Amino acid sequence: MNVKTLKRLLEDIRKGEMKVSEAMERLKTLPFEELEFATLDTHRSLRQGYPEVIYGEGKSAAQIKEIAKRMKARKENILITRVDCVKARAIKRAFPKATHNTVARTVFIKSHRIKKTGKGTVLVICAGTSDIPVAEEASVTAESMGNDVKRLYDVGVAGIHRLFHRKGDIFSANVLIVAAGMEGALPSVVSGLVARPVIAVPTSVGYGANLGGLTTLMAMLNSCASGISVVNIDNGFGAAYVASLINRE
Amino acid sequence: MNVKTLKRLLEDIRKGEMKVSEAMERLKTLPFEELEFATLDTHRSLRQGYPEVIYGEGKSAAQIKEIAKRMKARKENILITRVDCVKARAIKRAFPKATHNTVARTVFIKSHRIKKTGKGTVLVICAGTSDIPVAEEASVTAESMGNDVKRLYDVGVAGIHRLFHRKGDIFSANVLIVAAGMEGALPSVVSGLVARPVIAVPTSVGYGANLGGLTTLMAMLNSCASGISVVNIDNGFGAAYVASLINRE
Amino acid sequence: MNVKTLKRLLEDIRKGEMKVSEAMERLKTLPFEELEFATLDTHRSLRQGYPEVIYGEGKSAAQIKEIAKRMKARKENILITRVDCVKARAIKRAFPKATHNTVARTVFIKSHRIKKTGKGTVLVICAGTSDIPVAEEASVTAESMGNDVKRLYDVGVAGIHRLFHRKGDIFSANVLIVAAGMEGALPSVVSGLVARPVIAVPTSVGYGANLGGLTTLMAMLNSCASGISVVNIDNGFGAAYVASLINRE
Amino acid sequence: MNVKTLKRLLEDIRKGEMKVSEAMERLKTLPFEELEFATLDTHRSLRQGYPEVIYGEGKSAAQIKEIAKRMKARKENILITRVDCVKARAIKRAFPKATHNTVARTVFIKSHRIKKTGKGTVLVICAGTSDIPVAEEASVTAESMGNDVKRLYDVGVAGIHRLFHRKGDIFSANVLIVAAGMEGALPSVVSGLVARPVIAVPTSVGYGANLGGLTTLMAMLNSCASGISVVNIDNGFGAAYVASLINRE
Amino acid sequence: MNVKTLKRLLEDIRKGEMKVSEAMERLKTLPFEELEFATLDTHRSLRQGYPEVIYGEGKSAAQIKEIAKRMKARKENILITRVDCVKARAIKRAFPKATHNTVARTVFIKSHRIKKTGKGTVLVICAGTSDIPVAEEASVTAESMGNDVKRLYDVGVAGIHRLFHRKGDIFSANVLIVAAGMEGALPSVVSGLVARPVIAVPTSVGYGANLGGLTTLMAMLNSCASGISVVNIDNGFGAAYVASLINRE
Amino acid sequence: MNVKTLKRLLEDIRKGEMKVSEAMERLKTLPFEELEFATLDTHRSLRQGYPEVIYGEGKSAAQIKEIAKRMKARKENILITRVDCVKARAIKRAFPKATHNTVARTVFIKSHRIKKTGKGTVLVICAGTSDIPVAEEASVTAESMGNDVKRLYDVGVAGIHRLFHRKGDIFSANVLIVAAGMEGALPSVVSGLVARPVIAVPTSVGYGANLGGLTTLMAMLNSCASGISVVNIDNGFGAAYVASLINRE
Amino acid sequence: MNVKTLKRLLEDIRKGEMKVSEAMERLKTLPFEELEFATLDTHRSLRQGYPEVIYGEGKSAAQIKEIAKRMKARKENILITRVDCVKARAIKRAFPKATHNTVARTVFIKSHRIKKTGKGTVLVICAGTSDIPVAEEASVTAESMGNDVKRLYDVGVAGIHRLFHRKGDIFSANVLIVAAGMEGALPSVVSGLVARPVIAVPTSVGYGANLGGLTTLMAMLNSCASGISVVNIDNGFGAAYVASLINRE
Amino acid sequence: MNVKTLKRLLEDIRKGEMKVSEAMERLKTLPFEELEFATLDTHRSLRQGYPEVIYGEGKSAAQIKEIAKRMKARKENILITRVDCVKARAIKRAFPKATHNTVARTVFIKSHRIKKTGKGTVLVICAGTSDIPVAEEASVTAESMGNDVKRLYDVGVAGIHRLFHRKGDIFSANVLIVAAGMEGALPSVVSGLVARPVIAVPTSVGYGANLGGLTTLMAMLNSCASGISVVNIDNGFGAAYVASLINRE
């Protein structure tokens, strides 16, 4: 039931074309239908300019293609994350115009020009070369969501001068995503330099007592710098999603 | 060395009043002084309208008063967090106009009117009554940083209808801070309803296998909803700081 | 808005005493009010015969008394859990007829006879004398919720013959709550003997590598016996609540 | 020794056909034999209508078939859990009438009609599509144990309206099994809506700091809602077993 | 029911003074009574020469005295572990002949001469001075259980020559208890020197990443030396109990 | 330097054939050489009747064969643990008389009759069928070390009557090894029945929150029964080694 | 900008060939360029005699060859760590003179004689044969960095006499690297014998509750001996790097 | 037995005043006595210029005074760590010339001028004001061991320019100790700037998911910079000890 059908129901009562008891009956399920209506509406406005997203891990190429086809019917752009090369090739056979980013492990199926929704630049920084896949997932996601994205890769704290070289990009960014593994110190350093929100993404890069990224995650949550919030390990997509919400007009 | 003294040095060279070798010597430390200059400048613009902040835990009342006095000289507002009643009373004796929020465990020393820097509303939500101190720390901090703050407390997922009652506030907020303990489910539910960034604050509320908030923290990082980023356990201040950066004009 | 006011609204429309647009406006918040109505209704039926419950930990005696007074007005029985002796005495001064169970650390304020809601017996078993407070919290809670409760305390697996002595009670129970600390083996043994649901409560009893009950909790979740489900550490109240739901007519 | 042989022994004594000393000797092992007799009897009554169950993980197809053949001789229904497609095919070659549920990873060998033992409906809910294998294992198990099962899949808290759509099924269920991964919030929300026992099943679905389901497990144990008990990670079978015990006539 | 009553019952049947049906009824509970009989018998023989033991932690002085009085009636020696000075004094007021070992935190109430049950020497070694309370608890326990005990304290691996000085005691011991904190290396070194069983007791001595003894416990379980088994953290009593069983004639 | 060369040195001094200063120089390294001598002697006596042992995991078949050949020269029996079928076959090609126990994953190369060193029986108990490989490793090891071994497999606590059936073997054993996975309750139950040392072996059997045996290990260390000590996860060999030391004449 | 260009700039100002404003503009980025200059200078002096290092794990043979070629142009020696045999062969095809250490899993490409930078000996000790790859990685790295290296392998604490045999090497070393797995006791013993810095390297060798080296790491950090510092699990390279810095002239 | 008595023994043999057999008997224990002699000798040379050290935590003032008095007799300097104000005052009553450092929680009793043993400067850096006690413990310890110490406190990565201001001290230090809490990033940044060994000390400063310093410890072990080794949490003493060994002539 939506606004229109609700109005018609009330008018039917007014005209005497529907009994009060019958209306009562139909309104009993209203809370749930209405809630959905409200939420969906929110979601719709939220999604304006945002792609449909398929999380590819644990889905077969066949499943992904099936979902993508149904989405395609809505004429939305589609972003598929966490796909290996084999799946990506299979998807490209079904959607020949899809673009595959091998580093980010994403496939993007474009139905229309991406609408610019971000008011400033999203700067995606990462510490080492091994963090690039996560950073690139963030970059590709942020771009597909209508943001101007700049990349600043391989600028870890052990050679901190590399970071300072790009001071212009750092100082002019509206939101910053910082992906790092190992001791996860980079977000603290970056956040000490800027007055904008920093979203930290721990990566599972490291060995020994890295514990699959848990050490990095914990270190980031304990940052001595204010202005940092954290997403899950390797979650480049999630970081970009938060950044997009922040960067929206 | 700042811009003015650098300019003077260069002019002295030009006029022949300083030798190149002498200038070389003085410029040797330039990188570091300059960096400070640049960074401080950044920080200064960042702090416009933001209070000076003292983290009160582990500091004696005497120490806090000493720091506050020096800060006071700069004519800035001062926010002191994590102070118990005894410390707060001692501080109030030194700064009689200070206001003590017993729930948030904060003291605020106002030097001038808080300048409005936030463009929308920061909505601070919490799940249970025991989460209120953390939520209130976030609220007080956000207010002192120039944001309009609305509070929506005690609306946990086990009685989810209480949350839906305040849909107006939820839908109109620009940034949302959600504090919760125990299973930490509230941020997921809230984030599913809105198209704005949600900052999740795990609290150490709970018993048994709560592990001092670690369970809640982990649950929030694993949220099935996009649009959530997380700060450290009980870190109401940090959440408000991030929210303020997002909400700035 | 409840069923009565909704009906009146619809009749007002029918009679032409309210405009459709005005009704639309009032119905806009319907989902949330209605949901509450629905949920509360559910809850009300659930609570028939169940006491109001106050979790006493972290609340002052004054706060507990204040909450209890407001609850008392609804003429319901009141169960207060996790209260130490000092708080209990303070509560008893306000409610002289309240009964204080020093072992279970509970206070019970009776407004009316407890209505029997359980169809069978709830048997509360515990392994050692140190587990008795948790077991007794479960027993008192289950009794206050209208169940017939039998107690079988101090029957740990290291002297398993003590358990077998009470085979009659074990075989005739409808639901079994088994509290144990240390290696948490008792629920497995009990569940191997009966064909009824066993709710395991890990207690924080133990020392060394007990990890505050975490070891026990994990052991219980890994039970080799089917028919066991687990609640949080020391959560006697929670176990009794689940047992009551199972045991309801 | 069973009731019959015990009776004969006593009668032999009475008739003088056996000496007391000889009877004493034979009765020396009585405790152990008797215990078995008692327990088995209990178990037998428990199993009425319940299938024999084989946990397939870590067993070869040959081993499973061998066990199943011996069980088949007892004319019971047989449920085999955790079997991949290769094993399932091998089993089906030996038992051509067996039904293989590829999602639940179960094989069911039917010897007779399943006897209805459950008095109400078991509702199996899950949060995301990746939780379906665990939920389906629970559903298939509950059905094979004589329960009416309803399924409500893919209704996670990030889009909570989907859950409310099925309010009818939720409110009318006698026992609810709720499987969820990630932050594990769904059982809390469901338990807040109903007055029936909820059995929470954490799944190992998630990535990053999910820790193989441990985060979800801990979150569920810390639920703010009463009425929830928890089984081990991915243990759909265990949840269904508990639910069946609760739902028995 | 014990052997005597069972015999009488059988004779009553033989004589026709009891009906088979009546005997059947009485024998129904036999397994449980018998089991107890069997077990207790076992236990009784086990305890010959062993003291009764009260674990004092978490019990009040009054409770301990009460239990001790009932035990005293059986004319057994009594060992009370984990008692602080206040409790010990209170106990000594009730049992003036009791001996209080302040280091081991034990009180021993002697009813009769300790019967020698151990065939060799139990050597109790500890690494540092802070491990002495745990080592002494082991020594006192082993002595009270009838063993010849030798002590070799403060011989940690960082000054390994101290250990070698007592080679005579090490080589001649029948069982060795080795208590150590920190990195827990001592049991490995000792076990490499002897051909007798070594029982390792991790202590909670240490700071930083010691994790309350967990690090030590784990290190001992991972010993590169064969011949070591481990008891719980700080469990001097448990180690002595195991050593006594090994050392029995 | 050994006893003989030391003696000659002293005699050379006595005869004036060596200077004191020269002797001093040669004795400077004495501590270390002597220590070896002493220790090796100890070890030799320890090993009387014990096989040489090769831990096969992480070693190639070629490496194992090479080591075994050198050992064979000493005419000792050789036990190789943790070998898969491929390696075992390769070893058997080199030592055709070697016996391969596929369940225990051991190979035994016999040079002479195993000398009986154990004075009583070692009883090896395990809880479930999946624990058998660990139990069998213990059994084979104990046998190869000269003990009489009895096996009691698949007698877990969920069907505790199976355990009691073998009361004879349990009561007559001199040392008991108990291997169990999941909640690890079996050692507690067994230790409650006997007056002999119980060595508990946690196995990595289980799923979900079993944590690779860590849960079981912790549960066993927290056993409420006295008389239990614990070895590392899956360490059947280590348990048998300790048991042999205990069981030695 | 480096010293030369800075000097030219200042001279241009002095000569009036550059305006102050123009110089100001160019100096604006000075901090960052200068910092790099300063840091690089530091690094250059640091690297004198040190090889370029490529961490081979997670890089393809093609990537490694590409990086090595660019490095080769600088005429430096190149050390590649963590390469398996397949990669090593591929690298050797491109650099036929490269030497492959199969145990250390390193490849070394020599451009010039290694300059001796270490003033004393680096002694690399390891506990068991399984620790040798980590120890050998440390040895090879330390050698390639210009140190005299001695190896002392397979001298674990369970047979401590083997260690004492090499007292000469131990007492004369300038820095000691000690690699050990399992309980990680060796560094404590070694550090108790010498007056030089000991760098402990936990290895992931072990099974059961070794937790991938975490247990060893924690044990080493809790060493009772002073003079030990620790690097990450299996990090032979890192230990050698620290040792080289200590050992430099 | 020491060098002198050994010599006399040999001379007695030479003179015929002692029989070879008697000498053999007395030399039987030589390895152990000798070892001590050798080790002590080593230690003595190590300790030249080093103070005697008492770890004060867990010792009473009386115990500390007793130990100090015995040490004082050897005319050595004495360093007492981890003493609170009450204990320090008590110690000063016994040793009026002792100096108490309230921040470092140390007391120093000087018997003679500290001998300079360090060849360069030890630079002690810490990140925040709360890390100062740990840093100061390191500084005081290093000074008392004969090193020139420079302090560089409160220079955390969130305001990294403060660190760069002291570049002179950083570049000229021979060994660097870096204490930090929270995310522990400072050692990585420092190590990237210098070519000298960095000893990282994690502090337990932080809150929420800091886990008592464990997060910081883990982050430091995972540093992306080479040249760092780590000591236990809050172990300022241990870091200074390692630094002193490195810095020795």
Side-chain angles (χ1 to χ4, degrees), chain C residues 97 105 174:
Chain C
K97 291 186 179 168
R105 293 157 303 161
N174 191 38

Side-chain angles (χ1 to χ4, degrees), chain B residues 134-151:
Chain B
V134 174
E136 194 61 20
E137 183 184 293
S139 295
V140 166
T141 301
E143 283 170 345
S144 77
M145 285 183 161
N147 300 284
D148 285 324
V149 172
K150 286 201 171 158
R151 288 157 171 86

Side-chain angles (χ1 to χ4, degrees), chain F residues 113-130:
Chain F
R113 207 180 52 81
I114 299 171
K115 195 187 143 185
K116 195 78 17 186
T117 66
K119 67 184 168 215
T121 302
V122 173
L123 180 63
V124 181
I125 305 177
C126 77
T129 50
S130 327

Side-chain angles (χ1 to χ4, degrees), chain H residues 7-46:
Chain H
K7 200 177 171 186
R8 196 175 311 148
L9 182 149
L10 295 178
E11 284 170 346
D12 285 355
I13 295 171
R14 193 180 47 85
K15 297 184 207 150
E17 293 176 359
M18 183 182 274
K19 293 199 205 142
V20 165
S21 63
E22 190 188 336
M24 286 295 282
E25 192 59 34
R26 290 194 55 196
L27 283 169
K28 231 167 82 179
T29 56
L30 192 59
F32 303 101
E33 294 191 12
E34 273 299 304
L35 181 63
E36 180 183 34
F37 148 72
T39 315
L40 279 182
D41 200 63
T42 304
H43 275 158
R44 197 177 321 132
S45 68
L46 160 66

Side-chain angles (χ1 to χ4, degrees), chain E residues 158 160 182-183 185 188 192 209 219 222 224, chain G residues 158 160 182-183 185 188 192 209 219 222:
Chain E
I160 210 161
M182 305 182 118
E183 82 273 59
S188 299
N222 282 281
C224 56
Chain G
I160 210 162
M182 304 182 120
E183 82 275 60
S188 298
N222 283 281

